[in-house]
């Protein structure tokens, strides 16, 4: 994010052909694993695509960093709840990786109702020479077996297989909006509009309800839970955000049911800015702990805020993502865009934050220099190794040559999901049905 910010090179993009793109192809979540060697995307069709980073080759050092498809599998299928006469979409809402313990990789994926634990592993050998079966797998006639054979492992073409190891279901009345793996790597939580459940990764038939904000009378309902995340280092601490713009920090050591928070973060609204849309745009769509665990980042419709865990009264930093839309809230309400849920991410050192906007723009804010940049992920300017030019939006008045008018922004093109490599300046940006991977300019 110094002078060379604008020289992010596009490194590879997973572009599906626009002519064949369907609603099912729209990417609904993006997530790097803990090493950054793998990148997973989930889409509305219930598929998970895992990309693997190419190893650096001596004769082509510039290829280091390219991500190619490693495994594709159908994670969820559409279902029907006969008791409630409701269709359950197959859309993948969130993917979370577990830290790698052995040669296999594990990830959690969830749709509205069911969380699945997947194991992704490689096979490059197969056993041959069984006694009771022939090479095709058919049982041999016992009378023809005259000698005892020792099966041997023979090399075969590398095969990557994804197998569901656990299915966690029947625990949520409402739609699951987030999952988060605990730092003890034994438990995780799943969150819906009114409740948060804590699961053991080994046990699928029961979970513990740790937050329940459902009122006795549903007519008294004033807010819903929008996102939740565990602290990166303290396994007893987690936060959840609400549609009222507040964030609650809870400590599981205090009580089994964490309905009473230990810290409450909320910025009082400026009365001069109050409008019909105030409550809608103050809803927090994403909350993320910094890698250090010291800060919280929250995203609402127009801003990203950074909070210090030791200061509840007001955010430490506030960044305006697209303040030029403040005058357009009425039309954004009419076309339902005002309900879009943008995510936000930290870079590996917690010094830069990134979040999406409309017109396939995404924004980066450098917390140290206070500089920010708007970049665009689109097919037109994304030839491999092309340098991204910063974009500017002009509001009224005279428009410069390289600026785009706020009235000509395309609200159907939006970047809701982004991910940042845990240790390097590599970012993944989902623009509708396309995945773009950018990296810092490599000299």
């Amino acid at each position: 994010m110094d002078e060379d910010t604008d020289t992010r090179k596009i490194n590879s993009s997973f572009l599906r052909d626009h002519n064949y793109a369907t609603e099912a192809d729209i990417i609904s979540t993006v997530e790097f694993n803990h090493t950054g060697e793998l990148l997973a995307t989930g889409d509305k069709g219930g598929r998970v695509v895992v990309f693997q980073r190419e190893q650096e080759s001596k004769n082509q050092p510039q290829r280091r960093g390219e991500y190619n498809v490693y495994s594709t599998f159908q994670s969820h299928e559409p279902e029907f709840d006969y008791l409630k006469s409701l269709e359950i979409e197959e859309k993948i809402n969130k993917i979370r990786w577990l830290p790698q313990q052995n040669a296999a990789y594990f990830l959690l994926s969830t749709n509205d109702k069911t969380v699945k634990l997947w194991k992704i592993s490689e096979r490059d050998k197969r056993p041959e020479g069984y006694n009771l079966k022939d090479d095709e797998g058919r049982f041999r006639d016992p009378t023809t077996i005259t000698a005892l054979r020792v099966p041997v492992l023979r090399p075969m073409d590398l095969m990557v297989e994804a197998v569901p190891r656990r299915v966690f279901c029947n625990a949520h009345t409402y739609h699951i909006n987030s999952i988060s793996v605990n730092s003890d790597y034994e438990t995780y939580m799943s969150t819906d509009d009114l409740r948060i459940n804590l699961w053991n990764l080994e046990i699928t038939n029961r979970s513990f309800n740790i937050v329940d904000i459902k009122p006795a009378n549903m007519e008294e309902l004033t807010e819903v839970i929008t996102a939740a995340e565990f602290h990166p280092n303290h396994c007893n601490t987690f936060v959840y955000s609400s549609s009222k713009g507040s964030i609650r920090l809870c400590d599981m050591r205090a009580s089994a049911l964490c309905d009473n928070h230990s810290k409450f973060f909320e910025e009082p609204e400026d009365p001069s800015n109050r409008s019909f849309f105030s409550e809608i745009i103050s809803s927090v769509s994403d909350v993320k702990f910094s890698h250090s665990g010291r800060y919280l980042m929250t995203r609402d419709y127009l801003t990203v805020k950074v909070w210090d865990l030791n200061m509840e009264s007001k955010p430490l930093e506030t960044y305006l993502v697209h303040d030029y839309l403040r005058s357009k809230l009425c039309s954004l309400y009419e076309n339902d865009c005002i309900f879009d849920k943008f995510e936000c991410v930290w870079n590996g050192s917690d010094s830069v934050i990134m979040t999406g906007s409309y017109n396939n723009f995404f924004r980066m804010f450098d917390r140290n220099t206070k500089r920010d940049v708007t970049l665009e992920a689109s097919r037109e300017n994304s030839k491999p190794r092309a340098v991204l030019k910063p974009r500017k939006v002009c509001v009224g008045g005279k428009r410069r040559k390289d600026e785009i008018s706020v009235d000509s922004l395309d609200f159907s093109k939006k970047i809701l999901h982004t991910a940042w490599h845990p240790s390097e300046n590599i970012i993944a940006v989902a623009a509708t049905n396309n995945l773009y991977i950018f990296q810092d300019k490599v000299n």
Side-chain angles (χ1 to χ4, degrees):
M1 284 288 300
D2 51 18
E3 290 303 315
D4 282 327
T5 307
D6 324 328
T7 53
R8 282 177 192 277
K9 284 211 167 186
I10 179 158
N11 156 359
S12 55
S13 54
F14 181 61
L15 302 171
R16 294 178 175 148
D17 190 332
H18 262 309
N19 305 324
Y20 299 106
T22 61
E23 177 80 4
D25 292 325
I26 294 174
I27 297 172
S28 52
T29 182
V30 187
E31 189 78 10
F32 279 102
N33 75 339
H34 290 68
T35 61
E37 290 302 301
L38 297 181
L39 170 68
T41 65
D43 64 25
K44 286 194 171 181
R47 291 181 301 258
V48 172
V49 181
V50 180
F51 300 86
Q52 186 181 43
R53 194 175 184 187
E54 288 296 307
Q55 293 304 313
E56 191 167 359
S57 61
K58 288 197 168 60
N59 47 2
Q60 288 180 306
Q62 79 278 7
R63 282 184 70 92
R64 170 71 175 148
E66 292 209 352
Y67 283 80
N68 292 317
V69 176
Y70 177 63
S71 173
T72 304
F73 58 92
Q74 188 72 30
S75 173
H76 287 70
E77 302 280 357
E79 293 174 58
F80 192 78
D81 184 336
Y82 290 96
L83 292 174
K84 296 198 177 87
S85 294
L86 280 178
E87 278 188 57
I88 301 167
E89 284 186 3
E90 65 272 39
K91 174 192 161 201
I92 308 292
N93 292 342
K94 280 283 185 294
I95 289 173
R96 288 289 178 263
W97 289 91
L98 272 65
Q100 194 177 358
Q101 310 281 3
N102 51 32
Y105 302 98
F106 287 88
L107 63 81
L108 287 167
S109 63
T110 184
N111 68 347
D112 285 342
K113 298 287 181 189
T114 305
V115 184
K116 293 185 181 181
L117 174 68
W118 289 88
K119 176 186 180 181
I120 302 167
S121 53
E122 296 182 355
R123 268 223 321 247
D124 60 356
K125 291 186 176 63
R126 69 161 182 264
E128 284 182 5
Y130 287 110
N131 288 291
L132 301 177
K133 292 180 183 174
D134 61 18
D135 292 339
E136 302 297 311
R138 293 186 296 263
F139 280 100
R140 294 163 61 191
D141 179 2
T143 57
T144 64
I145 302 172
T146 56
L148 195 62
R149 296 195 290 183
V150 178
V152 288
L153 289 172
R154 296 246 186 272
M156 59 178 252
D157 290 339
L158 179 68
M159 194 170 89
V160 180
E161 48 185 7
V163 195
R165 295 303 301 272
R166 307 259 187 285
V167 178
F168 306 88
C169 53
N170 303 329
H172 286 277
T173 312
Y174 307 98
H175 290 175
I176 299 172
N177 56 46
S178 53
I179 48 177
S180 177
V181 180
N182 200 345
S183 59
D184 62 11
Y185 305 136
E186 290 180 9
T187 54
Y188 77 91
M189 65 180 173
S190 56
T191 308
D192 68 27
D193 295 339
L194 298 178
R195 297 191 179 102
I196 301 177
N197 291 335
L198 182 70
W199 300 82
N200 187 301
L201 283 161
E202 300 292 325
I203 301 167
T204 57
N205 60 357
R206 69 171 180 270
S207 62
F208 296 96
N209 178 229
I210 51 175
V211 171
D212 186 350
I213 64 165
K214 184 179 179 180
N217 177 4
M218 280 296 269
E219 285 174 10
E220 293 166 10
L221 183 69
T222 57
E223 64 181 334
V224 294
I225 302 170
T226 54
E229 190 178 62
F230 270 118
H231 190 282
N233 313 322
H234 304 313
C235 59
N236 52 283
T237 309
F238 67 93
V239 290
Y240 67 92
S241 58
S242 88
S243 56
K244 270 194 158 174
S246 57
I247 303 99
R248 292 171 175 84
L249 182 87
C250 301
D251 188 337
M252 292 192 288
R253 294 171 303 186
S255 69
L257 192 62
C258 302
D259 285 354
N260 296 324
H261 50 266
S262 46
K263 289 192 176 183
F264 183 80
F265 303 88
E266 187 177 47
E267 186 172 32
E269 196 196 358
D270 178 1
S272 62
N273 277 343
R274 177 122 194 100
S275 73
F276 169 73
F277 305 108
S278 295
E279 205 162 294
I280 303 172
I281 63 172
S282 66
S283 174
V284 175
S285 56
D286 197 15
V287 58
K288 293 265 169 62
F289 275 105
S290 63
H291 295 84
S292 66
R294 170 75 191 270
Y295 302 104
L296 269 177
M297 169 167 56
T298 60
R299 171 75 211 256
D300 56 41
Y301 191 65
L302 295 177
T303 66
V304 172
K305 297 185 173 108
V306 175
W307 303 78
D308 187 323
L309 286 193
N310 299 329
M311 185 170 78
E312 297 168 62
S313 54
K314 63 175 194 290
L316 202 60
E317 301 150 25
T318 301
Y319 300 97
L320 305 176
V321 179
H322 37 216
D323 208 49
Y324 45 78
L325 295 182
R326 206 174 272 280
S327 59
K328 296 252 172 289
L329 293 177
C330 202
S331 54
L332 289 162
Y333 178 76
E334 285 166 6
N335 65 13
D336 275 354
C337 283
I338 202 166
F339 302 107
D340 285 334
K341 293 178 168 47
F342 291 95
E343 295 172 7
C344 51
V345 286
W346 301 87
N347 71 339
S349 61
D350 299 333
S351 59
V352 183
I353 55 186
M354 172 172 64
T355 190
S357 179
Y358 292 103
N359 209 64
N360 279 354
F361 288 170
F362 57 98
R363 304 269 284 135
M364 290 184 173
F365 303 94
D366 189 314
R367 298 180 57 215
N368 300 326
T369 63
K370 298 295 181 244
R371 290 186 51 191
D372 63 274
V373 64
T374 303
L375 300 169
E376 182 181 3
S378 69
R379 295 169 74 94
E380 292 71 48
N381 64 7
S382 294
K383 308 216 166 20
R385 304 215 149 28
V387 173
L388 288 188
K389 293 187 178 66
R391 305 300 307 262
K392 285 198 166 53
V393 177
C394 89
V395 188
K398 207 163 165 218
R399 185 165 69 87
R400 290 207 194 109
K401 182 167 72 81
D402 57 342
E403 290 185 334
I404 180 167
S405 158
V406 68
D407 295 315
S408 55
L409 293 174
D410 185 344
F411 293 110
S412 66
K413 294 178 175 173
K414 52 192 93 166
I415 289 180
L416 303 175
H417 315 286
T418 56
W420 202 307
H421 188 288
S423 55
E424 295 178 42
N425 274 339
I426 298 176
I427 57 173
V429 175
T432 323
N433 60 317
N434 296 323
L435 175 71
Y436 297 88
I437 299 172
F438 301 101
Q439 70 178 34
D440 250 355
K441 186 175 176 184
V442 184
N443 294 324

